Amino acid sequence: MPRPLGELEDAVMTRVWQWNRPVTVREVLEDLQQERSIAYTTVMTVMDNLHQKGWVRRESEGRAYRYTAVSTRAAYSAALMNEAWATSDSPAAALVAFFGMMSAEQREALRDAIRIVQHDDEAAADPAPEAPAAAGPPPQEPPAGEGSAGQAPAPGR
């Protein structure tokens, strides 16, 4: 289970997830500087830490790196929710309390998600359509005078 991201880690990962492409420390720095005063080395350290923790992969580009998210924001959020639910002494009560905190829009999103999962479960449970029977040679007519099609000739003939 991933441990929750710190404030600066989250700010960096938010950009990596939103941009959905390889990014440099310089790009993240310039965007972060619109909100706060921050040094290049601070962003570089945070991105290196995120790489060490497995949140991003990096590829060398000249003397710098380009960083790409390893998973999605949705997967990260799901893992945090799963961990919180799994560690509860009463998972059902935790879910009820969680649902009680949700807005109407969030509950509708939950209903949509349940419908999607149920549809996927139903699709997985349906047996595969049967393959058509293998086409063999067409039935052959018996030689003339040896009975009609579908009947065996009379014994002794």
Side-chain angles (χ1 to χ4, degrees):
M1 156 55 198
R3 107 182 142 70
L5 296 171
E7 179 190 348
L8 191 50
E9 290 173 328
D10 186 68
V12 169
M13 283 305 300
T14 294
R15 282 149 180 86
V16 175
W17 282 320
Q18 284 176 343
W19 296 340
N20 196 28
R21 61 174 174 75
V23 301
T24 64
V25 171
R26 176 76 50 204
E27 290 172 309
V28 174
L29 170 71
E30 290 172 358
D31 200 61
L32 284 171
Q33 285 179 330
Q34 295 176 24
E35 300 171 359
R36 63 178 96 187
S37 177
I38 190 166
Y40 180 92
T41 54
T42 301
V43 177
M44 183 176 64
T45 299
V46 168
M47 294 187 82
D48 184 61
N49 289 344
L50 290 167
H51 175 255
Q52 297 300 322
K53 293 176 180 180
W55 288 106
V56 293
R57 72 177 60 90
R58 66 185 181 193
E59 292 186 23
S60 189
E61 183 177 278
R63 292 179 26 197
Y65 288 108
R66 284 209 173 261
Y67 294 84
T68 308
V70 170
S71 67
T72 64
R73 175 100 178 176
Y76 165 70
S77 297
L80 291 177
M81 289 187 289
N82 187 55
E83 177 68 14
W85 182 55
T87 59
S88 172
D89 58 349
S90 176
L95 284 174
V96 169
F98 179 64
F99 297 156
M101 294 179 209
M102 297 172 97
S103 68
E105 294 81 19
Q106 289 170 323
R107 285 191 300 276
E108 184 59 33
L110 176 63
R111 283 189 282 276
D112 291 344
I114 290 171
R115 280 191 287 273
I116 290 168
V117 170
Q118 286 175 335
H119 175 72
D120 290 349
D121 287 348
E122 290 168 4
D126 285 344
E130 290 186 26
Q140 295 192 356
E141 294 291 323
E146 291 202 17
S148 61
Q151 294 179 349
R157 282 200 169 164

